[in-house]
């Protein structure tokens, strides 16, 4: 697989006068990551502004960057996102508009060289809009065959009322259940004709976003130390729809028809995190500065729901179709994030930034809700949870630490016009031999409704932009091109 994404951002900046489930590993990884998003200036410089500061988007990366503001300001940003080599599918569009950011900073001078600032910013930390399509041959393999083998090995069985029970120490998924319940082999002659498939095709469209609401307090000490803290609240809105088709064959390799699995998946909920940051100018006479920051995990409380249907379009099988739907609540704790950055300016003409970030995605904590209660005195509900050790072990073996390198530059031809460039390299998150394990004794497997997975490789981003300043009003334009390759498996 290869995903090419283009993004164009438009930003409006106004300068005010002072003081005016458990889920399974692959879906968890999709929620735990962030995009490069924010103001057009921030994006155009590749986001490498954690030591430069004085941009409202640093509120969510290095909170100390807000401490470099000397004037109150308001920012708003919108843009377009386009995916190359894709076609519109269902509710997903290859090109869509995105409202990415709006926020303000209130700056108050507290001394001859000291300021105390408060900032608020909303930005879209994750844009889920994405279309995936794949097709290939299946040489003697099929999802139907795999589900049948699980059933034959007593991983699960069927009750008389159509329910399902789990074998000792084994697990099942909803999709396995549908295949096994709907496509029980026609064994009149003792043969199972349609275990194999000659090929498959799949398409998935997903949409939605994670919105982040950041509240920041920051300031500086004698214009040498800049300190900040940001409390972030995240809002998850995810929706996907997929269709997976297999062309089944009998023992003589003759076609017996297709099966089609259609699946809708929803994830929603909220989480919070805290970010700490510092910027230091080691040489008083020099604008060179060093930035350090750390982010706590985002503590998510989420709900996932799916509706899955299997249509039997073959000339064999006991039933024509089957359906399944589930709703499940769980918690997800993302990994810690650490960053170090360098920044330097040359007069008012040149700004240079570089950042390194690290986060160990193998340490994602999937958690199972174990119950709760009600506190009558405080009129509050509480809920306990515990780590899903089985799924967490799978995550640790499938995902790994990710290093992100960001560099950016801004050149001002004069005080009214600026040109910006940036580059990002994000190392692979997935081990090449990672796979989605549908036989884990974990709710993340029980409630799974799709078996496909993609081991994405490194991501490269190129960014560019321009800015025009009209005294207290500035207009900025940014362009971002991102490319990621991956290896797709239907099951």
């Amino acid at each position: 697989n290869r995903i090419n994404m283009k993004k164009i951002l438009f930003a409006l900046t106004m300068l005010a006068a002072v003081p005016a489930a458990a889920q399974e590993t692959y879906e968890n990884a999709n929620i735990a990551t962030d995009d490069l998003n924010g103001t057009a200036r921030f994006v155009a410089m590749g986001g490498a502004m954690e030591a430069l500061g004085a941009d409202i988007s640093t509120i969510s990366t290095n909170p100390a960057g807000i401490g470099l503001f000397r004037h109150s300001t308001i920012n708003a940003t919108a843009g377009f996102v386009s995916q190359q080599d894709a076609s519109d599918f269902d509710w997903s569009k290859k090109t869509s508009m995105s409202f990415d950011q709006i926020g303000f900073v209130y700056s108050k001078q507290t001394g001859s060289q000291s300021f105390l600032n408060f900032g608020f910013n909303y930005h879209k930390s994750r844009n889920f809009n994405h279309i995936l399509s794949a097709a290939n041959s299946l040489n003697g393999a099929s999802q139907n065959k795999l589900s049948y083998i699980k059933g034959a090995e007593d991983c699960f069985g069927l009750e008389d009322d159509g329910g399902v029970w789990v074998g000792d120490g084994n697990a099942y998924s909803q999709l396995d259940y549908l295949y096994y319940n709907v496509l029980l082999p026609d064994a009149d002659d003792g043969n199972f004709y349609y275990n194999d498939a000659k090929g498959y095709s799949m398409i998935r469209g997903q949409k939605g976003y994670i919105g982040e609401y950041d509240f920041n307090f920051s300031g500086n000490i004698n214009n040498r130390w800049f300190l900040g803290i940001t409390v972030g609240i995240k809002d998850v809105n995810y929706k996907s729809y997929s269709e997976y088709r297999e062309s089944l064959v009998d023992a003589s390799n003759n076609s017996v028809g297709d099966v089609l699995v259609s699946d809708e998946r929803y994830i929603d909920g909220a989480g919070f995190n805290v970010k700490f940051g510092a910027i230091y100018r080691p040489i008083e006479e020099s604008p060179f500065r060093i930035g350090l920051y750390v982010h706590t995990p985002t503590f998510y409380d989420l709900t996932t729901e799916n509706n899955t249907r299997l249509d039997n379009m073959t000339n064999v099988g006991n039933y024509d179709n089957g359906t399944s739907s589930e709703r499940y609540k769980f918690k997800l704790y993302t990994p810690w994030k650490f960053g170090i950055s360098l920044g330097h300016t040359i007069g008012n003409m040149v700004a240079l930034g570089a950042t390194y970030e690290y986060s160990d995605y193998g340490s994602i904590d999937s958690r199972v809700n174990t119950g709760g209660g009600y506190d009558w005195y405080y009129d509050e509900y509480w809920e306990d949870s515990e780590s899903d050790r089985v799924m967490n072990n799978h995550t640790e073996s499938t995902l790994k630490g990710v290093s992100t390198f960001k560099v950016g530059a801004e050149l001002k031809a004069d005080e009214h016009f600026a040109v910006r460039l940036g580059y990002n390299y994000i190392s692979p998150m997935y081990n090449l031999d990672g796979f989605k394990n549908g036989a884990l004794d974990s709710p993340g497997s029980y409630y799974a409704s799709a078996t496909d997975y993609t081991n994405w490789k490194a991501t490269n981003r190129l960014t560019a932009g321009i800015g025009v300043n009209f005294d207290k009003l500035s207009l900025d334009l940014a362009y971002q091109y991102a490319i990621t390759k991956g290896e797709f498996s239907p099951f």
Side-chain angles (χ1 to χ4, degrees):
N1 288 319
R2 168 183 282 186
I3 300 299
N4 296 330
M5 302 293 289
K6 293 182 177 180
K7 187 163 190 176
I8 300 176
L9 295 176
F10 304 92
L12 174 65
T13 303
M14 292 177 286
L15 185 64
V18 177
Q23 282 294 101
E24 57 83 28
T25 295
Y26 285 84
E27 285 191 349
N28 288 344
N30 196 31
I31 294 173
T33 51
D34 293 329
D35 297 330
L36 174 61
N37 205 359
T39 68
R41 180 172 181 247
F42 182 82
V43 172
M45 294 183 66
M49 301 189 68
E50 284 78 17
L52 291 170
D55 187 284
I56 199 167
S57 287
T58 61
I59 196 172
S60 62
T61 56
N62 185 354
I66 303 300
L68 276 86
F69 276 94
R70 295 293 177 266
H71 304 282
S72 298
T73 188
I74 300 174
N75 287 85
T77 306
F80 294 92
V81 180
S82 180
Q83 180 180 343
Q84 288 186 345
D85 305 321
S87 300
D88 293 348
F89 172 67
D90 202 70
W91 55 49
S92 299
K93 308 298 180 183
K94 63 174 293 184
T95 300
S96 59
M97 188 171 181
S98 177
F99 182 75
D100 293 312
Q101 173 272 325
I102 186 169
F104 72 90
V105 174
Y106 174 76
S107 182
K108 173 69 175 178
Q109 188 167 4
T110 58
S112 60
Q113 298 188 75
S114 299
F115 288 79
L116 181 63
N117 298 338
F118 168 76
F120 167 78
N121 188 55
Y122 161 82
H123 87 287
K124 189 177 290 184
S125 65
R126 191 80 167 91
N127 190 330
F128 291 121
N129 288 10
H130 175 223
I131 300 168
L132 183 149
S133 60
N136 210 334
S137 60
L138 289 170
N139 298 318
S142 75
Q143 175 63 50
N144 179 70
K145 181 178 181 179
L146 184 61
S147 299
Y148 173 74
I149 292 174
K150 287 184 179 181
E153 292 297 322
D154 293 327
C155 287
F156 55 86
L158 302 178
E159 301 283 9
D160 292 338
D161 61 0
V164 65
W165 56 267
V166 183
D168 293 339
N170 295 307
Y172 70 95
S173 72
Q174 290 185 63
L175 192 54
D176 287 328
Y177 171 73
L178 284 180
Y179 270 117
Y180 195 60
N181 187 38
V182 175
L183 291 175
L184 291 174
D186 184 4
D188 291 340
D189 57 3
N191 294 318
F192 305 106
Y193 292 117
Y194 53 99
N195 283 335
D196 295 337
K198 64 180 179 179
Y200 76 90
S201 64
M202 179 178 178
I203 185 168
R204 170 180 292 116
Q206 62 184 43
K207 64 183 298 185
Y209 62 92
I210 298 179
E212 183 163 5
Y213 304 82
D214 287 321
F215 302 83
N216 173 276
F217 287 97
S218 57
N220 75 83
I221 303 172
N222 296 324
N223 208 31
R224 295 284 300 277
W225 279 98
F226 304 85
L227 305 172
I229 181 172
T230 295
V231 177
I233 299 173
K234 289 197 171 187
D235 175 31
V236 179
N237 299 271
Y238 173 85
K239 180 180 181 181
S240 74
Y241 174 74
S242 65
E243 293 182 352
Y244 175 73
R245 182 187 300 267
E246 284 188 348
S247 300
L248 303 182
V249 295
D250 60 20
S252 300
N253 204 36
N254 296 317
S255 175
V256 295
D258 295 347
V259 291
L260 176 68
V261 177
S262 55
D263 179 70
E264 289 184 348
R265 166 72 66 175
Y266 305 89
I267 303 174
D268 58 72
F272 72 93
N273 58 40
V274 183
K275 313 171 189 75
F276 306 91
I279 297 173
Y280 176 58
R281 290 199 305 115
I283 304 172
E284 185 174 3
E285 296 78 16
S286 172
F288 174 75
R289 40 200 182 264
I290 302 171
L292 296 170
Y293 56 94
V294 58
H295 300 179
T296 71
T298 300
F299 302 97
Y300 281 118
D301 196 347
L302 302 171
T303 299
T304 181
E305 181 178 0
N306 78 282
N307 297 288
T308 307
R309 176 182 173 86
L310 187 147
D311 288 305
N312 180 2
M313 296 176 284
T314 70
N315 54 23
V316 290
N318 289 356
Y319 304 100
D320 291 332
N321 54 65
T323 60
S324 176
S325 62
E326 294 288 348
R327 181 178 177 88
Y328 176 68
K329 292 185 177 182
F330 66 103
K331 289 181 172 59
L332 176 68
Y333 297 168
T334 67
W336 288 78
K337 181 182 290 185
F338 306 90
I340 183 171
S341 54
L342 303 175
H344 187 61
T345 58
I346 303 174
N348 294 322
M349 306 298 292
V350 178
L352 303 171
T355 298
Y356 170 75
E357 289 181 352
Y358 179 81
S359 191
D360 180 12
Y361 287 92
S363 66
I364 290 175
D365 186 12
S366 301
R367 302 184 66 85
V368 180
N369 292 335
T370 57
Y374 177 70
D375 189 318
W376 292 95
Y377 185 81
Y378 291 101
D379 191 27
E380 293 178 349
Y381 288 95
W382 52 269
E383 191 171 64
D384 291 331
S385 67
E386 63 182 23
S387 294
D388 183 348
R389 299 187 184 280
V390 173
M391 186 58 67
N392 287 346
N393 288 338
H394 178 262
T395 298
E396 186 177 3
S397 65
T398 304
L399 306 181
K400 56 186 177 180
V402 172
S403 294
T404 300
F405 299 90
K406 302 190 289 186
V407 292
E410 179 182 64
L411 174 64
K412 289 186 176 180
D414 57 48
E415 62 178 347
H416 299 294
F417 183 77
V419 177
R420 300 157 185 145
L421 295 171
Y423 170 74
N424 290 180
Y425 172 81
I426 305 172
S427 67
M429 178 191 303
Y430 300 87
N431 289 312
L432 291 180
D433 57 354
F435 65 97
K436 181 183 287 189
N437 191 337
L440 295 175
D441 188 10
S442 161
S445 290
Y446 307 158
Y447 294 94
S449 56
T451 61
D452 65 285
Y453 60 94
T454 304
N455 289 328
W456 296 107
K457 300 180 181 180
T459 295
N460 290 273
R461 298 186 184 122
L462 294 173
T463 63
I466 59 173
V468 182
N469 183 15
F470 304 98
D471 192 16
K472 295 182 179 181
L473 175 68
S474 66
L475 298 173
D476 300 281
L477 175 66
Y479 173 83
Q480 176 184 166
Y481 179 83
I483 181 170
T484 306
K485 296 180 180 180
E487 295 185 354
F488 172 84
S489 296
F491 53 85

